[in-house]
Amino acid sequence: MELTIKNLSKEYGKKKAVRCFNATLTNGVYGLLGANGAGKTTLMRMICDVQTETKGAIMLNGKNIHDLGEQYRNILGYLPQHFGYYPNFTAYKFLMYIAAIKGLPHQKAHKRSLELLEKVGLSEQKNVKIKTFSGGMKQRLGIAQALLNNPKILILDEPTAGLDPKERVRFRNLISTLAENRIVILSTHIVSDVEYIAKEILIMKNGELLHQGSAETILQPIQSFVWECDVTRQEVDSLEKNYVVANLKHSAGAERLRIISEVAPCKTARNVEPTLEDLYLYYFAEVSDNE
């Protein structure tokens, strides 16, 4: 299966939410990284055919998704950033309701709903009303509903929002097992969500695709831009004002800083191996979370 995004753009008046985006995706996990406002959600809504592009096209195996229509939507699973639910429905009833909308036969929907509730760790709460669920439980239910029709293309927009660290690890493991025979696009600004499971990382900024490739490949441009240095407490303030500080650790009477900079930030600086988090900070440190 091949999903091809060709010169895709989306404009709202003068605002360009997505600009000339090109990518070809095959089976596996793709991590879509970007700050809030980078255009990730708009891109995913177009891939899900719930929003129409201004220019360009999305093709599945060479056919435009608009021409495929229902045939395309039948193989899609989508978890939006804020998915809707009925608070007085139980988890089981909600999945059965969504399954009916997706056209699953009753017996198949029953079996699939119970399987997925088990898979996301909600089988014991299957008859509990959703309004009593924690944020993490609701998110797990959202992941279950996206998987009901066993989709060949799975779109997850900020799927780990509200999950605690243990739940996030369980979610990553689940996605890894699902990705063998489907395309999974996982949008996030939490780097660790995709660092170990993504076949490729796509980095978006201001609606554009900056980089695409394996973690090793996309780290190459900043290979010599990450530094560690031991400085005094007095030097910290000046360095924080002038550089992107990824980490600060008090160590043996000195302050150890991890700094992202194209030039050595101080005389004691030494190069260290970059991580995806360093790359993210290199591109997005100046972007406020309210963008």
Side-chain angles (χ1 to χ4, degrees):
M1 182 172 290
E2 185 176 273
L3 190 70
T4 308
I5 304 167
K6 292 183 176 180
N7 301 319
L8 200 69
S9 297
K10 180 64 179 177
E11 299 172 7
Y12 300 99
K14 292 183 179 179
K15 178 178 169 58
K16 294 183 179 179
V18 175
R19 309 166 187 236
C20 204
F21 194 102
N22 288 278
T24 298
L25 314 179
T26 54
N27 288 350
V29 179
Y30 292 85
L32 185 61
L33 284 180
N36 292 338
K40 303 188 304 294
T41 294
T42 301
L43 175 67
M44 296 179 104
R45 285 174 64 82
M46 287 190 286
I47 294 171
C48 289
D49 200 21
V50 295
Q51 212 160 347
T52 307
E53 66 278 358
T54 306
K55 296 174 186 173
I58 302 169
M59 318 289 286
L60 178 65
N61 297 332
K63 295 181 180 178
N64 193 299
I65 63 169
H66 299 319
D67 296 333
L68 291 169
E70 196 67 27
Q71 188 183 342
Y72 176 69
R73 288 188 287 276
N74 284 342
I75 63 164
L76 270 179
Y78 178 38
L79 175 61
Q81 196 168 352
H82 306 288
F83 85 97
Y85 60 90
Y86 294 100
N88 285 313
F89 275 21
T90 64
Y92 170 76
K93 186 178 178 182
F94 175 72
L95 289 185
M96 289 296 288
Y97 170 73
I98 297 297
I101 291 174
K102 292 187 176 186
L104 271 68
H106 182 84
Q107 203 54 38
K108 184 178 179 182
H110 169 74
K111 184 183 177 188
R112 186 76 177 143
S113 295
L114 294 181
E115 284 174 357
L116 287 169
L117 286 168
E118 177 72 33
K119 190 164 276 194
V120 299
L122 289 175
S123 56
E124 290 184 11
Q125 292 82 24
K126 67 182 180 183
N127 294 319
V128 177
K129 289 186 176 181
I130 301 171
K131 67 182 178 184
T132 67
F133 283 10
S134 68
M137 291 167 73
K138 289 172 186 170
Q139 202 68 3
R140 281 186 272 150
L141 184 62
I143 292 164
Q145 66 81 30
L147 292 168
L148 271 169
N149 57 331
N150 198 20
K152 295 298 181 188
I153 300 171
L154 182 60
I155 313 289
L156 305 168
D157 194 358
E158 299 288 352
T160 59
L163 300 188
D164 65 30
K166 185 178 177 182
E167 288 174 320
R168 291 233 310 274
V169 170
R170 179 165 60 182
F171 166 78
R172 290 203 299 267
N173 293 341
L174 171 62
I175 292 305
S176 286
T177 62
L178 290 170
E180 190 176 339
N181 60 352
R182 75 191 79 212
I183 296 169
V184 180
I185 305 172
L186 195 164
S187 161
T188 185
H189 59 268
I190 303 171
V191 174
S192 59
D193 282 349
V194 294
E195 191 162 13
Y196 301 109
I197 65 168
K199 174 169 88 170
E200 290 193 359
I201 308 290
L202 291 82
I203 299 179
M204 275 190 88
K205 185 174 183 179
N206 298 327
E208 297 180 319
L209 178 63
L210 286 186
H211 287 291
Q212 178 182 355
S214 66
E216 295 79 13
T217 302
I218 64 172
L219 286 175
Q220 285 301 319
I222 65 160
Q223 199 64 42
S224 60
F225 294 173
V226 184
W227 310 81
E228 262 189 9
C229 44
D230 296 319
V231 297
T232 65
R233 177 71 252 178
Q234 289 72 31
E235 292 173 285
V236 169
D237 289 343
S238 171
L239 288 167
E240 284 188 315
K241 283 179 186 174
N242 294 298
Y243 297 97
V244 176
V245 176
N247 196 36
L248 188 158
K249 182 181 178 183
H250 185 72
S251 176
E255 306 295 336
R256 176 163 293 175
L257 300 185
R258 186 181 184 91
I259 292 174
I260 294 109
S261 168
E262 295 182 12
V263 295
C266 60
K267 289 179 181 178
T268 61
R270 57 196 176 275
N271 273 128
V272 292
E273 281 295 310
T275 66
L276 269 183
E277 187 172 79
D278 296 324
L279 183 74
Y280 185 93
L281 289 171
Y282 176 71
Y283 285 118
F284 301 112
E286 80 284 1
V287 180
S288 85
D289 279 345
N290 295 318
E291 185 188 338

